[in-house]
Every structure is written in C-alpha cells, then in structure tokens.
Amino acid sequence: MVFSCAQKMKRRNKIYEIAKRCCLVIGRQFTTKETVCVLMEANEKQNLVQFTARGNECTVQARLHCRVEQDGNALLIGSVFQSMLELFGDEATTVETDKSTISVRNAKAGYRFALMDTAKYPVPEPCTPDLLTEAGNFCEIGAKVLFSAAKSNGCNSRALNCVHVMVHDGRWSATSCDGYRLTVVSEDTSRTEPLDLLLSVEAMKTVLNVFHGVKHCKIGISGSYAVFCGPQMVLYAKLNEQKFTNVQPILDGYCMMHEIEVSGDTLLDSLKRVSAGSTNHAKLLLNQIDKHTLRLQFLSGMDSTITGQTELDCTVRTPLPQEGFCYNYTYLREAATLMQGKSIEVQFDKGGALMLHADNELHLLLPLRLPKTEAKPKTGRTRKAA
C-alpha cells in the first residue's frame, strides 16, 4: 500500500482532522493492540483511502481522496498517527507498507513500525438506515442534557446513564435524568418523520466531539445502531436496549408554590462569587431577604468548615419559606452555566424541588437536607457547699 497527501493538494489538514476524530472514538480503551489502531484501506482506482476506528460504543469511518499508488490496507496506532501528522505540519505526507513494516514520512522526517495483522481488526458491518433526518440543533441539544445524565454505569438503571433524543410533532426533544437531576430541552424542526434514540453518555459525548464544527449532519437508525452521516464521514453509535422513563408525569406531579425571576448571567455570577474552598459535596442555602433579594450561603464539603455568603438580585413573585432551601452547589452552578444569557423562572414546590425554566429548556434539581443548627450548650449552676 502506498498513498500520499501532497501539500499542493491542501489535504494535509483533512487527514490530520480524520486522525484526530479517530482518536476521539478510540478513547482510552486497551483490550488488544489492534483495537487502538486506525485501519487504512487504499483504493488505487478511485484514489480514495478509507479510515476506520472503533471504540467501546462507537465506530467511525471517514474517506479522503489522496494520490494512491498501490492498493492495500494497514493498521497504525491512532494516537501515534495523530502525533506524527501534527509534527509534519503542512508538508506532504506519504504512507507506505512493505511485507513487514509500515512507514509514515515527509521530506524531512520519517517513522517506521512493524506491520500488524489487519485480519485481527474487527471490521464493522455496513449499516444502511432506511431514513436519514437532518440533525439541525442536535449537537446543541445533546450537550445541554448531558448535565443530568448519570456519570457512571454503576447506577441502578443503565437507562439513567443515557440521553433520550426524539423527533415528534415537529420538534426535537432531548431528556436525561439521574434520579437527582432532570433536564428537558426541545427545539422546533421542519422534519416530521419520527425518531427515537437512547444513547449512553459515553456514546453521546463521542458523537458531540467527533461532529464538533461539522455544519451538516444527518441521523438515522439501522438495526441496533444510530447512524450519523457527515461530509465523507459516517459514525455508528450503539443504541441502549432499555426503555427510557416517560418524564412528563414526573414533572406534572410537582406542585410549584414559590417563584422568582432572575437573569441567568446574574445567577451564575453570584454562584461563582459565593464559592470558597473545595466545591466537592458543597451545599448552597437559599433564603429570602426581601422582594428583590435572596441570600446565597455556601457551605463547603461534608463538614461545612468554609462558608461564603452573597446576595442575589431578583424578583420574588411568591415568597419563600423562612428556613429556605438547600441544594448541591455544583449541580446548581452547572445548570446556571447552561442557562446564562437567558431570563430564568425559578420555581419551588413545598419540599424544595427546584425547576429552572428558560425558553424551551428545563432543569429540575432535588433539594438536600437543611444543615442542622447547633444548639447552645446549657450552663448549669453549681451549688456552693454550706
């Protein structure tokens, strides 16, 4: 196999971007040395090279028109391939194999590696969806709902470690829930064909990273895979077989009794200002001062040894209870970060469940127990001896 991407063809940046996307799919897995490799298949008749990379949840295949002098295929470790292309800059790059080695070189430098057996590489079966839907704002919606998905596969339900994406009634909608947080985001779309995807957090992150900056993308379903098609690129993401819970009855079950209105930028700025020390397991107390001010109190860690306090300018439509409410500081700050630049309606039920509304975006956070106030020790009088 021999192919080259000449500088005058201005293709070097494209091959580097392909190698970068392949590494994003491969991730940090290491089951066998072949699985962390990029498979390159060169076609002399079409002057085309196909690159394939596999991960735990996703597979990507990208094609690039190059100058192919000889057919063939070869494996090369993805991270090594990306590093070499990055060092080469905009110079012409040539990849060549013989019976026992593979070399990657330009005019000034070259690297040579032992040739690996391509027969051991698990080549994916082609997936052909019956229907492809324009992605539209899929990446923007998917990035917002990652906030509320469980971060570990060790949770009780694998569905909580997923993101649910649908097209229904002319709208994109995405939902995630980990039992403590819930997020629903929706956007209008001109597409009317239904679509229902349940992707793991890992798969969704891979899709968002690989298609970052890609303007045009289409989505479809083929068997047990979601298929994402971009310019000269296809990504297959494994679907979760479980059924995602319908969250609408959960949202309808909350009876909101208290409400405030606040700017997303103001809320985020106040949350940044009030934090002190480690935010791991930190809590935030909300108390009302008057109709236009809330007191935010930061309590660090499990023992609350470091505290911070600031005031939040807002409009209180329905007064909060005197004792206020308590929340996970990190969760509330992440939600505020997603909603900056918007006017937010913040609602509370009698138990403290908090909903943040803005346009077509909703975040639900469950409260924490209010910290106990230490009672003052009683001082007893001692009788003097007679």
Side-chain angles (χ1 to χ4, degrees):
M1 178 186 76
V2 182
F3 72 87
S4 60
C5 298
Q7 183 180 4
K8 62 181 181 179
M9 295 172 63
K10 297 182 180 180
R11 296 286 186 180
R12 181 266 157 201
N13 287 335
K14 289 191 176 182
I15 192 174
Y16 172 72
E17 289 300 321
I18 288 174
K20 185 177 178 180
R21 288 187 168 99
C22 287
C23 289
L24 290 171
V25 171
I26 294 170
R28 297 173 180 260
Q29 62 162 332
F30 190 84
T31 52
T32 64
K33 62 181 180 180
E34 288 80 16
T35 56
V36 296
C37 289
V38 176
L39 174 65
M40 296 173 282
E41 300 171 282
N43 188 315
E44 185 179 357
K45 290 184 179 180
Q46 300 180 2
N47 271 333
L48 191 72
V49 180
Q50 178 170 279
F51 301 84
T52 303
R54 296 180 64 110
N56 292 327
E57 299 280 345
C58 300
T59 300
V60 66
Q61 290 184 321
R63 294 182 176 183
L64 182 64
H65 287 282
C66 300
R67 180 184 175 185
V68 180
E69 299 178 18
Q70 183 179 346
D71 288 340
N73 51 41
L75 291 172
L76 192 58
I77 296 175
S79 57
V80 174
F81 190 39
Q82 180 184 351
S83 299
M84 288 187 295
L85 293 174
E86 189 173 8
L87 291 172
F88 285 172
D90 291 329
E91 298 177 1
T93 301
T94 300
V95 179
E96 183 177 356
T97 63
D98 56 26
K99 294 182 179 181
S100 59
T101 62
I102 176 172
S103 65
V104 182
R105 65 180 188 273
N106 65 1
K108 298 178 181 179
Y111 303 89
R112 188 177 295 273
F113 307 91
L115 201 62
M116 287 184 279
D117 186 4
T118 56
K120 296 181 179 180
Y121 190 83
V123 179
E125 295 182 2
C127 297
T128 306
D130 296 331
L131 181 67
L132 288 173
T133 302
E134 288 288 344
N137 295 329
F138 173 84
C139 290
E140 180 182 349
I141 293 174
K144 286 180 178 290
V145 296
L146 281 174
F147 158 67
S148 292
K151 300 300 184 288
S152 171
N153 284 320
C155 54
N156 294 332
S157 173
R158 284 190 61 204
L160 297 181
N161 185 238
C162 293
V163 172
H164 187 214
V165 182
M166 296 179 63
V167 174
H168 60 95
D169 300 329
R171 292 180 69 83
W172 277 103
S173 69
T175 309
S176 63
C177 176
D178 68 352
Y180 303 95
R181 298 165 291 177
L182 189 152
T183 296
V184 179
V185 182
S186 60
E187 292 284 349
D188 292 332
T189 178
S190 59
R191 306 297 297 182
T192 58
E193 296 84 359
L195 184 70
D196 195 324
L197 306 175
L198 187 60
L199 297 175
S200 70
V201 171
E202 180 182 350
M204 179 60 79
K205 286 181 178 179
T206 301
V207 171
L208 296 179
N209 289 331
V210 170
F211 281 88
H212 178 72
V214 177
K215 295 182 179 180
H216 302 289
C217 173
K218 293 185 177 182
I219 306 174
I221 296 178
S222 178
S224 59
Y225 288 90
V227 182
F228 298 83
C229 299
Q232 298 293 315
M233 178 173 58
V234 179
L235 185 144
Y236 310 113
K238 191 181 300 182
L239 294 172
N240 189 300
E241 69 280 0
Q242 295 190 359
K243 186 176 181 181
F244 194 79
T245 303
N246 182 9
V247 300
Q248 194 57 48
I250 299 175
L251 296 174
D252 294 340
Y254 287 99
C255 180
M256 297 302 166
M257 304 178 65
H258 315 281
E259 184 176 349
I260 67 172
E261 184 177 350
V262 64
S263 164
D265 293 334
T266 302
L267 176 59
L268 180 60
D269 181 66
S270 298
L271 290 171
K272 289 180 178 179
R273 189 170 58 248
V274 75
S275 63
S278 173
T279 58
N280 190 27
H281 301 295
K283 299 178 182 179
L284 188 81
L285 295 179
L286 296 180
N287 295 95
Q288 181 180 341
I289 298 177
D290 54 43
K291 293 182 179 180
H292 301 285
T293 313
L294 289 185
R295 179 187 295 112
L296 307 184
Q297 185 176 0
F298 174 88
L299 304 175
S300 69
M302 300 298 291
D303 51 0
S304 304
T305 54
I306 302 176
T307 62
Q309 186 170 299
T310 189
E311 294 182 355
L312 172 65
D313 295 330
C314 61
T315 301
V316 180
R317 295 178 178 175
T318 310
L320 274 65
Q322 184 177 359
E323 64 274 13
F325 297 115
C326 181
Y327 301 95
N328 181 293
Y329 170 79
T330 304
Y331 291 174
L332 186 54
R333 178 168 169 171
E334 288 180 359
T337 302
L338 294 171
M339 305 184 80
Q340 58 183 321
K342 301 179 180 179
S343 178
I344 305 174
E345 291 183 359
V346 186
Q347 298 177 329
F348 310 81
D349 74 350
K350 64 178 181 180
L354 178 150
M355 283 189 185
L356 297 97
H357 295 265
D359 300 330
N360 297 322
E361 185 175 347
L362 181 149
H363 300 280
L364 170 67
L365 304 179
L366 295 184
L368 302 177
R369 289 183 179 180
L370 290 168
K372 296 180 180 179
T373 56
E374 296 183 0
K376 295 182 179 180
K378 295 181 181 180
T379 56
R381 295 183 179 179
T382 56
R383 292 183 180 182
K384 293 182 179 180

Coordinates of all heavy atoms in Angstrom, one line a residue, residues 138-213:
F138 N -29.1 19.2 16.9 CA -28.9 18.0 17.7 C -27.7 18.2 18.6 O -27.8 17.8 19.8 CB -28.7 16.8 16.8 CG -28.3 15.5 17.5 CD1 -29.3 14.7 18.0 CD2 -26.9 15.2 17.6 CE1 -28.9 13.6 18.7 CE2 -26.6 14.0 18.3 CZ -27.6 13.2 18.9
C139 N -26.6 18.7 18.1 CA -25.4 18.8 19.0 C -25.6 19.8 20.1 O -25.2 19.5 21.3 CB -24.2 19.2 18.1 SG -23.6 17.9 17.0
E140 N -26.3 20.9 19.9 CA -26.5 21.9 20.9 C -27.5 21.3 22.0 O -27.3 21.4 23.2 CB -27.1 23.1 20.3 CG -27.5 24.2 21.3 CD -28.1 25.4 20.7 OE1 -28.1 25.5 19.4 OE2 -28.6 26.3 21.4
I141 N -28.5 20.6 21.5 CA -29.5 20.0 22.5 C -28.8 18.9 23.3 O -28.9 18.8 24.5 CB -30.7 19.4 21.7 CG1 -31.5 20.6 21.1 CG2 -31.6 18.6 22.6 CD1 -32.6 20.1 20.2
G142 N -28.0 18.0 22.6 CA -27.4 16.9 23.3 C -26.4 17.4 24.3 O -26.3 16.8 25.4
A143 N -25.7 18.5 24.1 CA -24.7 19.0 25.0 C -25.4 19.5 26.3 O -24.8 19.4 27.4 CB -23.9 20.1 24.4
K144 N -26.6 20.0 26.2 CA -27.3 20.5 27.4 C -27.8 19.4 28.3 O -27.8 19.6 29.5 CB -28.4 21.5 26.9 CG -28.0 22.8 26.4 CD -29.2 23.6 26.0 CE -28.8 25.0 25.5 NZ -28.2 25.9 26.6
V145 N -28.3 18.3 27.7 CA -28.9 17.3 28.5 C -27.9 16.4 29.2 O -28.2 15.6 30.1 CB -29.9 16.5 27.7 CG1 -31.1 17.3 27.3 CG2 -29.3 15.8 26.5
L146 N -26.6 16.4 28.7 CA -25.6 15.6 29.4 C -25.5 15.9 30.9 O -25.0 15.1 31.7 CB -24.2 15.8 28.7 CG -24.0 15.1 27.4 CD1 -22.7 15.5 26.8 CD2 -24.0 13.6 27.6
F147 N -25.8 17.2 31.2 CA -25.7 17.6 32.6 C -26.4 16.7 33.6 O -25.9 16.4 34.7 CB -26.3 19.1 32.7 CG -26.7 19.5 34.0 CD1 -25.8 19.7 35.0 CD2 -28.1 19.7 34.3 CE1 -26.2 20.1 36.3 CE2 -28.5 20.1 35.6 CZ -27.5 20.3 36.6
S148 N -27.6 16.2 33.2 CA -28.4 15.5 34.2 C -28.3 13.9 34.0 O -29.0 13.2 34.7 CB -29.9 15.9 34.0 OG -30.1 17.2 34.4
A149 N -27.5 13.5 33.1 CA -27.3 12.0 33.0 C -26.4 11.5 34.0 O -25.4 12.2 34.4 CB -26.8 11.7 31.6
A150 N -26.6 10.3 34.5 CA -25.7 9.6 35.5 C -24.3 9.5 34.9 O -24.2 9.2 33.7 CB -26.3 8.3 35.9
K151 N -23.3 9.7 35.7 CA -21.9 9.7 35.2 C -21.3 8.4 35.2 O -20.2 8.2 34.8 CB -21.1 10.7 36.0 CG -21.6 12.2 35.9 CD -21.6 12.7 34.5 CE -22.0 14.1 34.4 NZ -23.4 14.4 34.6
S152 N -21.9 7.4 35.8 CA -21.3 6.1 35.9 C -22.3 5.0 35.6 O -23.5 5.1 35.8 CB -20.8 5.9 37.4 OG -20.4 4.5 37.6
N153 N -21.7 3.9 35.0 CA -22.5 2.7 34.6 C -22.9 1.9 35.9 O -23.7 1.0 35.8 CB -21.8 1.8 33.7 CG -21.8 2.4 32.3 OD1 -22.8 2.9 31.8 ND2 -20.7 2.3 31.6
G154 N -22.4 2.3 37.0 CA -22.7 1.6 38.3 C -24.0 2.0 38.9 O -24.4 1.5 39.9
C155 N -24.8 2.9 38.2 CA -26.1 3.2 38.8 C -27.1 2.0 38.6 O -26.9 1.1 37.9 CB -26.7 4.5 38.1 SG -26.7 4.3 36.3
N156 N -28.2 2.1 39.3 CA -29.1 1.0 39.4 C -29.7 0.7 38.0 O -30.0 -0.4 37.7 CB -30.3 1.3 40.4 CG -29.7 1.4 41.8 OD1 -28.8 0.7 42.1 ND2 -30.4 2.2 42.6
S157 N -30.0 1.7 37.2 CA -30.6 1.5 35.9 C -29.6 2.1 34.8 O -29.2 3.2 34.9 CB -31.9 2.2 35.8 OG -32.4 2.1 34.5
R158 N -29.3 1.3 33.8 CA -28.4 1.8 32.7 C -29.1 2.9 31.9 O -28.4 3.7 31.3 CB -28.1 0.6 31.8 CG -27.0 -0.3 32.3 CD -26.5 -1.3 31.2 NE -26.0 -0.6 30.1 CZ -25.9 -1.0 28.9 NH1 -26.4 -2.2 28.6 NH2 -25.4 -0.3 27.9
A159 N -30.4 2.9 32.0 CA -31.1 4.0 31.3 C -30.8 5.4 31.9 O -30.9 6.4 31.2 CB -32.7 3.7 31.3
L160 N -30.5 5.4 33.2 CA -30.1 6.7 33.8 C -28.8 7.2 33.3 O -28.5 8.4 33.5 CB -30.1 6.5 35.3 CG -31.4 6.2 36.0 CD1 -31.3 6.1 37.5 CD2 -32.5 7.2 35.6
N161 N -28.0 6.3 32.7 CA -26.7 6.7 32.2 C -26.8 7.0 30.7 O -25.8 6.9 30.0 CB -25.7 5.5 32.4 CG -24.3 5.8 32.0 OD1 -23.7 5.1 31.2 ND2 -23.7 6.9 32.6
C162 N -28.0 7.4 30.3 CA -28.3 7.6 28.9 C -28.9 9.0 28.6 O -29.4 9.7 29.5 CB -29.2 6.5 28.3 SG -28.4 4.9 28.3
V163 N -29.0 9.3 27.3 CA -29.7 10.5 26.9 C -30.7 10.1 25.9 O -30.4 9.3 24.9 CB -28.7 11.5 26.2 CG1 -29.5 12.6 25.5 CG2 -27.7 12.1 27.2
H164 N -31.9 10.5 26.1 CA -33.1 10.1 25.2 C -33.4 11.3 24.2 O -33.7 12.4 24.6 CB -34.3 9.8 26.0 CG -35.4 9.3 25.3 ND1 -36.8 9.5 25.5 CD2 -35.5 8.4 24.2 CE1 -37.5 8.9 24.7 NE2 -36.8 8.2 23.9
V165 N -33.3 11.0 22.9 CA -33.5 12.0 21.9 C -34.6 11.6 21.0 O -34.7 10.4 20.6 CB -32.2 12.2 21.0 CG1 -32.5 13.3 20.0 CG2 -31.0 12.6 21.9
M166 N -35.6 12.5 20.7 CA -36.7 12.1 19.9 C -37.0 13.3 18.9 O -36.7 14.4 19.2 CB -38.0 11.9 20.8 CG -37.9 10.7 21.7 SD -39.4 10.6 22.7 CE -40.6 10.3 21.4
V167 N -37.7 12.9 17.8 CA -38.3 13.9 16.9 C -39.8 13.5 16.9 O -40.2 12.4 16.6 CB -37.8 13.8 15.5 CG1 -38.6 14.7 14.6 CG2 -36.3 14.2 15.5
H168 N -40.6 14.4 17.4 CA -42.1 14.2 17.4 C -42.8 15.5 17.3 O -42.4 16.5 17.9 CB -42.5 13.4 18.7 CG -42.2 14.2 19.9 ND1 -43.1 15.0 20.6 CD2 -41.0 14.3 20.7 CE1 -42.5 15.6 21.6 NE2 -41.2 15.2 21.7
D169 N -43.9 15.5 16.6 CA -44.8 16.7 16.4 C -44.0 17.9 16.0 O -44.2 19.0 16.4 CB -45.5 17.0 17.8 CG -46.4 15.8 18.3 OD1 -46.9 15.1 17.4 OD2 -46.5 15.7 19.5
G170 N -43.1 17.7 15.1 CA -42.3 18.8 14.5 C -41.3 19.4 15.5 O -41.0 20.6 15.3
R171 N -40.9 18.6 16.5 CA -39.9 19.2 17.5 C -38.8 18.2 17.8 O -39.1 17.0 17.9 CB -40.6 19.6 18.7 CG -41.6 20.8 18.6 CD -42.2 21.1 19.9 NE -41.3 21.6 20.9 CZ -40.9 22.9 20.9 NH1 -41.4 23.8 20.0 NH2 -40.1 23.3 21.8
W172 N -37.6 18.7 18.0 CA -36.6 17.9 18.6 C -36.7 18.0 20.1 O -37.0 19.0 20.6 CB -35.2 18.5 18.3 CG -34.6 18.1 17.0 CD1 -34.5 18.8 15.8 CD2 -33.9 16.9 16.6 NE1 -33.9 18.2 14.8 CE2 -33.5 16.9 15.3 CE3 -33.6 15.7 17.4 CZ2 -32.8 15.9 14.7 CZ3 -32.9 14.7 16.7 CH2 -32.5 14.8 15.4
S173 N -36.6 16.9 20.8 CA -36.6 16.9 22.2 C -35.5 15.9 22.8 O -35.3 14.9 22.2 CB -37.9 16.6 22.8 OG -38.2 15.2 22.6
A174 N -34.8 16.3 23.8 CA -33.8 15.5 24.5 C -34.0 15.5 26.0 O -34.3 16.6 26.5 CB -32.4 16.0 24.1
T175 N -33.9 14.4 26.6 CA -34.1 14.2 28.0 C -33.1 13.4 28.7 O -32.6 12.4 28.1 CB -35.5 13.6 28.3 OG1 -36.5 14.2 27.5 CG2 -35.9 13.6 29.7
S176 N -32.7 13.7 29.9 CA -31.8 12.9 30.7 C -32.2 13.1 32.2 O -32.8 14.1 32.6 CB -30.4 13.3 30.5 OG -30.2 14.7 31.0
C177 N -31.9 12.0 33.0 CA -32.3 12.0 34.4 C -31.4 11.0 35.1 O -31.2 9.9 34.7 CB -33.8 11.6 34.5 SG -34.3 11.5 36.3
D178 N -30.9 11.4 36.3 CA -30.1 10.5 37.1 C -30.7 10.2 38.4 O -30.0 9.6 39.3 CB -28.7 11.1 37.2 CG -28.6 12.3 38.1 OD1 -29.7 12.9 38.5 OD2 -27.5 12.8 38.4
G179 N -31.9 10.6 38.7 CA -32.6 10.4 39.9 C -32.5 11.6 40.9 O -33.3 11.7 41.8
Y180 N -31.6 12.5 40.6 CA -31.4 13.7 41.4 C -31.6 15.0 40.6 O -32.0 16.0 41.1 CB -30.0 13.8 42.1 CG -29.7 12.6 42.9 CD1 -29.0 11.5 42.4 CD2 -30.2 12.5 44.3 CE1 -28.7 10.4 43.2 CE2 -29.9 11.4 45.0 CZ -29.2 10.4 44.5 OH -28.9 9.3 45.3
R181 N -31.3 14.8 39.3 CA -31.5 15.9 38.3 C -32.3 15.4 37.1 O -32.3 14.3 36.8 CB -30.1 16.4 37.8 CG -29.2 17.0 38.9 CD -27.8 17.1 38.4 NE -27.2 15.8 38.3 CZ -26.0 15.6 37.8 NH1 -25.2 16.6 37.4 NH2 -25.5 14.3 37.7
L182 N -33.0 16.4 36.5 CA -33.7 16.0 35.3 C -33.6 17.2 34.3 O -33.8 18.4 34.8 CB -35.2 15.7 35.6 CG -36.1 15.1 34.5 CD1 -37.2 14.2 35.1 CD2 -36.7 16.2 33.7
T183 N -33.4 17.0 33.1 CA -33.3 18.0 32.1 C -34.1 17.7 30.8 O -34.0 16.6 30.4 CB -31.8 18.3 31.7 OG1 -31.1 18.7 32.8 CG2 -31.7 19.4 30.6
V184 N -34.8 18.7 30.3 CA -35.6 18.5 29.1 C -35.3 19.7 28.2 O -35.5 20.9 28.7 CB -37.1 18.4 29.4 CG1 -37.9 18.3 28.0 CG2 -37.4 17.2 30.3
V185 N -34.9 19.5 27.0 CA -34.6 20.6 26.1 C -35.3 20.2 24.8 O -35.3 19.1 24.3 CB -33.1 20.8 25.8 CG1 -32.8 21.9 24.9 CG2 -32.4 21.0 27.1
S186 N -35.9 21.2 24.1 CA -36.6 21.0 22.8 C -36.4 22.1 21.9 O -36.1 23.3 22.3 CB -38.1 20.8 23.1 OG -38.7 22.0 23.7
E187 N -36.4 21.8 20.6 CA -36.3 22.8 19.5 C -37.2 22.5 18.4 O -37.5 21.3 18.2 CB -34.8 22.8 19.0 CG -33.8 23.3 20.0 CD -33.8 24.9 20.2 OE1 -34.5 25.5 19.3 OE2 -33.2 25.4 21.1
D188 N -37.7 23.5 17.7 CA -38.5 23.3 16.5 C -37.7 22.7 15.4 O -36.5 23.0 15.2 CB -39.2 24.6 16.1 CG -40.2 25.1 17.1 OD1 -40.8 24.3 17.8 OD2 -40.4 26.3 17.1
T189 N -38.3 21.9 14.5 CA -37.7 21.3 13.4 C -38.7 21.2 12.2 O -39.9 21.1 12.5 CB -37.1 20.0 13.7 OG1 -36.5 19.4 12.5 CG2 -38.1 19.0 14.2
S190 N -38.2 21.3 11.0 CA -39.1 21.1 9.9 C -39.4 19.7 9.5 O -40.2 19.3 8.7 CB -38.5 21.8 8.7 OG -37.2 21.3 8.4
R191 N -38.6 18.8 10.2 CA -38.8 17.3 9.9 C -40.0 16.8 10.7 O -40.3 17.1 11.8 CB -37.6 16.6 10.3 CG -36.3 17.1 9.7 CD -36.2 16.9 8.2 NE -36.3 15.6 7.8 CZ -36.3 15.2 6.5 NH1 -36.2 16.1 5.6 NH2 -36.3 13.9 6.2
T192 N -40.8 15.9 10.0 CA -42.0 15.3 10.6 C -41.8 13.9 10.8 O -42.6 13.3 11.5 CB -43.2 15.6 9.7 OG1 -42.9 15.0 8.4 CG2 -43.5 17.1 9.6
E193 N -40.7 13.2 10.3 CA -40.5 11.8 10.5 C -40.1 11.5 11.9 O -39.3 12.2 12.5 CB -39.5 11.3 9.5 CG -39.8 11.4 8.0 CD -39.5 12.8 7.5 OE1 -39.0 13.6 8.3 OE2 -39.7 13.0 6.3
P194 N -40.7 10.5 12.6 CA -40.4 10.3 14.0 C -39.0 9.7 14.1 O -38.5 9.0 13.2 CB -41.5 9.3 14.4 CG -41.9 8.6 13.1 CD -41.8 9.6 12.0
L195 N -38.4 9.9 15.2 CA -37.1 9.4 15.5 C -37.0 9.2 17.0 O -37.4 10.0 17.8 CB -36.0 10.4 15.1 CG -34.5 9.9 15.2 CD1 -34.2 8.8 14.2 CD2 -33.6 11.1 15.0
D196 N -36.4 8.1 17.5 CA -36.3 7.7 18.9 C -34.9 7.1 19.1 O -34.7 6.0 18.7 CB -37.4 6.8 19.3 CG -37.6 6.7 20.8 OD1 -36.6 6.8 21.5 OD2 -38.7 6.6 21.3
L197 N -34.1 7.8 19.9 CA -32.7 7.3 20.2 C -32.5 7.3 21.7 O -32.8 8.2 22.4 CB -31.6 8.2 19.5 CG -31.7 8.4 18.0 CD1 -30.6 9.4 17.6 CD2 -31.5 7.2 17.2
L198 N -31.9 6.2 22.2 CA -31.4 6.2 23.5 C -29.9 5.8 23.5 O -29.5 4.7 23.3 CB -32.2 5.1 24.3 CG -31.9 5.1 25.9 CD1 -32.2 6.4 26.5 CD2 -32.7 4.0 26.5
L199 N -29.1 6.9 23.8 CA -27.6 6.7 23.7 C -27.0 6.8 25.0 O -27.5 7.7 25.9 CB -27.0 7.8 22.7 CG -27.5 7.7 21.3 CD1 -26.9 8.9 20.6 CD2 -27.0 6.4 20.6
S200 N -26.0 6.1 25.3 CA -25.2 6.2 26.6 C -24.5 7.5 26.6 O -24.3 8.2 25.6 CB -24.2 5.1 26.7 OG -23.2 5.2 25.8
V201 N -24.2 8.0 27.8 CA -23.4 9.2 27.9 C -22.1 9.2 27.2 O -21.7 10.1 26.5 CB -23.2 9.5 29.4 CG1 -22.2 10.7 29.6 CG2 -24.5 9.8 30.2
E202 N -21.4 8.0 27.2 CA -20.2 7.9 26.5 C -20.4 8.0 25.0 O -19.6 8.7 24.3 CB -19.5 6.5 26.8 CG -18.2 6.3 26.1 CD -17.6 4.9 26.4 OE1 -18.1 4.2 27.3 OE2 -16.6 4.5 25.7
A203 N -21.4 7.4 24.5 CA -21.7 7.5 23.0 C -22.0 8.9 22.6 O -21.6 9.4 21.6 CB -22.8 6.5 22.6
M204 N -22.9 9.6 23.5 CA -23.3 10.9 23.1 C -22.1 11.9 23.2 O -21.9 12.7 22.3 CB -24.3 11.4 24.1 CG -24.8 12.8 23.9 SD -25.5 13.1 22.3 CE -27.2 12.4 22.5
K205 N -21.2 11.7 24.1 CA -20.0 12.6 24.2 C -19.1 12.4 23.0 O -18.6 13.3 22.4 CB -19.2 12.3 25.5 CG -19.8 12.8 26.7 CD -19.0 12.5 27.9 CE -19.5 13.1 29.2 NZ -18.7 12.8 30.4
T206 N -19.0 11.1 22.5 CA -18.2 10.8 21.4 C -18.8 11.5 20.1 O -18.1 12.1 19.3 CB -18.1 9.3 21.2 OG1 -17.5 8.7 22.3 CG2 -17.2 9.0 19.9
V207 N -20.1 11.4 20.0 CA -20.8 12.0 18.8 C -20.6 13.5 18.8 O -20.2 14.1 17.8 CB -22.3 11.6 18.8 CG1 -23.0 12.4 17.7 CG2 -22.5 10.1 18.6
L208 N -20.7 14.1 19.9 CA -20.6 15.6 20.0 C -19.2 16.0 19.7 O -18.9 17.0 19.0 CB -21.0 16.0 21.4 CG -22.5 15.8 21.8 CD1 -22.7 16.4 23.2 CD2 -23.4 16.5 20.8
N209 N -18.2 15.2 20.2 CA -16.8 15.6 19.9 C -16.4 15.4 18.5 O -15.7 16.2 17.9 CB -15.9 14.7 20.8 CG -15.9 15.1 22.3 OD1 -16.2 16.3 22.6 ND2 -15.7 14.2 23.2
V210 N -16.8 14.3 17.9 CA -16.5 13.9 16.5 C -17.1 14.9 15.6 O -16.5 15.4 14.6 CB -16.9 12.5 16.2 CG1 -16.7 12.3 14.7 CG2 -16.0 11.5 16.9
F211 N -18.4 15.3 15.8 CA -19.1 16.2 14.9 C -19.0 17.7 15.3 O -19.7 18.5 14.8 CB -20.5 15.8 14.8 CG -20.7 14.6 13.9 CD1 -20.6 13.3 14.4 CD2 -21.0 14.7 12.5 CE1 -20.8 12.2 13.5 CE2 -21.1 13.7 11.7 CZ -21.0 12.4 12.2
H212 N -18.1 18.0 16.2 CA -17.9 19.4 16.6 C -17.4 20.2 15.4 O -16.4 19.8 14.8 CB -17.0 19.5 17.8 CG -16.7 20.9 18.2 ND1 -17.6 21.7 18.9 CD2 -15.6 21.7 18.0 CE1 -17.1 22.9 19.1 NE2 -15.9 22.9 18.6
G213 N -18.1 21.3 15.1 CA -17.7 22.1 13.9 C -18.2 21.6 12.6 O -18.0 22.3 11.6

